[in-house]
Amino acid sequence: MAGALVLGVAAAGWVYWRLNDNIRGVDIDSALGDNRPARAVTTPSGTASAAPPPTGAVNILVLGSDSRSGDENRQLGGGDSSGARSDTAMVVHVDAGRTGATVVSIPRDTLVTRPSCPLPSGGSSEVAHGAMFNSAYALGGPVCAVKTVESLTNVRMDHFVEVDFAGFAKLVDALGGVTVTTTEDIEDEDSHLSLAAGTHHLDGTRALALARTRHGIGDGSDLGRIALQQTLVKALLEQMSTTDLAADPARLYRVADAATGSLTTDTGLDSLTELMELGQSLKGLSAANVTTVTMPVLPAPSDPNRVVPDEPEAGDLWESLGQV
């Protein structure tokens, strides 16, 4: 019995170490300093020994990228060591009480004023007017992406989460796939997806292809892809809420390993303990209480293939998130 207990503790310790070691952290706060929008007010915690999960509003910038090189990412359409793109950007605003959330997608083709950003190689970039939104990540990684979003929205990003191509596909597979319903046929040679209108259960590779599909739906713009991504996000939330992972420890480990293995976060979430605390605080959040929207945009006067924020509607949207 003593031997079994020791082995059990050792196994649990190894699992924690493995999952914790998977996560990569970036110190956003130190890189950006204090010249940022104010933080949301959080609910005071109780005593240190019995502190409840936080319940204040929280804003999380979620990026889907091909920034990690490797065979798996390249096979799935990712980048290589010579560059990186943030193909998906969503601001997830969780309301105070953490039982409702709004997911705001920012089109990657949006022309913005990109602020001066600290560069990984040292020094800072120049302010750039009329720059494509996703150029911020390519230029200065997650630090510049966060600063650009905060400059665009005037909303503080409390956390940052980046998920890579291969990790997303593995997570969907670990969950047993995801069921989505499309309203029109999809034929996209670039994402290699052929899908008839209707309800489909997709594995990780096909779910990723759906998230990347652009030319096979609507007018071929990024707005059509965003609509598919929002459908996929809600389907994944529904899948996770109806999957009893606690009853299958092996499957729970596969899901946790896939999730943490694909993750880059700010240093406020770069440990398993911190991620579990965030997850605990969101246990009352259901897919039915998640609203998905896209930042209001208009065709850019300088380039019909680009968009610009539609004001004052875009500003009103960001302001409403800052007040909730």
Side-chain angles (χ1 to χ4, degrees):
M1 289 180 64
L5 179 60
V6 169
L7 288 174
V9 170
W14 181 87
V15 168
Y16 183 92
W17 173 85
R18 160 79 185 204
L19 297 179
N20 199 63
D21 191 58
N22 277 344
I23 307 165
R24 176 174 174 260
V26 177
D27 193 349
I28 302 289
D29 290 339
S30 294
L32 295 184
D34 297 327
N35 187 23
R36 303 173 64 188
R39 289 186 183 277
V41 177
T42 57
T43 302
S45 61
T47 62
S49 59
T55 57
V58 63
N59 298 304
I60 305 171
L61 175 61
V62 179
L63 297 180
S65 81
D66 62 351
S67 62
R68 294 188 183 182
S69 61
D71 290 340
E72 288 180 299
N73 277 327
R74 282 192 287 271
Q75 290 170 8
L76 292 168
D80 55 32
S81 58
S82 64
R85 300 186 305 266
S86 57
D87 282 347
T88 302
M90 297 178 177
V91 173
V92 179
H93 172 83
V94 184
D95 299 340
R98 305 204 177 180
T99 57
T102 303
V103 179
V104 185
S105 296
I106 303 176
R108 70 173 192 172
D109 296 337
T110 305
L111 299 182
V112 300
T113 296
R114 191 182 65 222
S116 173
C117 295
L119 297 176
S121 58
S124 299
S125 66
E126 297 290 334
V127 175
H129 300 282
M132 275 185 57
F133 170 77
N134 70 341
S135 70
Y137 184 94
L139 176 70
V143 171
C144 194
V146 169
K147 188 167 185 179
T148 300
V149 169
E150 291 184 343
S151 176
L152 173 68
T153 66
N154 197 33
V155 175
R156 173 74 169 243
M157 295 298 109
D158 300 295
H159 296 294
F160 152 80
V161 174
E162 177 188 335
V163 181
D164 75 350
F165 275 51
F168 175 81
K170 285 181 178 179
L171 176 60
V172 173
D173 283 337
L175 285 167
V178 61
T179 300
V180 297
T181 299
T182 59
T183 58
E184 59 181 286
D185 296 344
I186 298 174
E187 290 289 342
D188 192 334
E189 294 182 358
D190 291 341
S191 67
H192 309 294
L193 183 65
S194 177
L195 209 61
T199 300
H200 305 272
H201 191 74
L202 307 179
D203 64 8
T205 299
R206 298 185 81 204
L208 178 59
L210 182 67
R212 296 180 60 233
T213 290
R214 173 173 182 167
H215 301 293
I217 190 168
D219 61 1
S221 73
D222 198 36
L223 299 180
R225 173 164 56 186
I226 284 175
L228 291 177
Q229 291 173 347
Q230 291 174 344
T231 297
L232 188 56
V233 165
K234 298 203 76 169
L236 276 172
L237 288 173
E238 187 66 31
Q239 178 75 11
M240 287 187 282
S241 67
T242 58
T243 302
D244 187 7
L245 295 175
D248 188 346
R251 190 177 184 186
L252 173 61
Y253 171 76
R254 290 195 299 272
V255 170
D257 189 43
T260 56
S262 67
L263 220 55
T264 300
T265 74
D266 63 282
T267 49
L269 285 181
D270 65 348
S271 75
L272 193 59
T273 300
E274 290 163 328
L275 283 174
M276 289 172 64
E277 181 184 64
L278 176 63
Q280 180 70 11
S281 77
L282 300 177
K283 66 179 182 180
L285 180 62
S286 67
N289 294 326
V290 175
T291 301
T292 55
V293 297
T294 301
M295 181 183 74
V297 294
L298 293 170
S302 61
D303 187 343
N305 294 317
R306 303 288 180 258
V307 296
V308 293
D310 183 7
E311 300 294 358
E313 286 80 3
D316 291 343
L317 171 62
W318 298 123
E319 184 178 1
S320 71
L321 296 189
Q323 295 174 345
V324 178

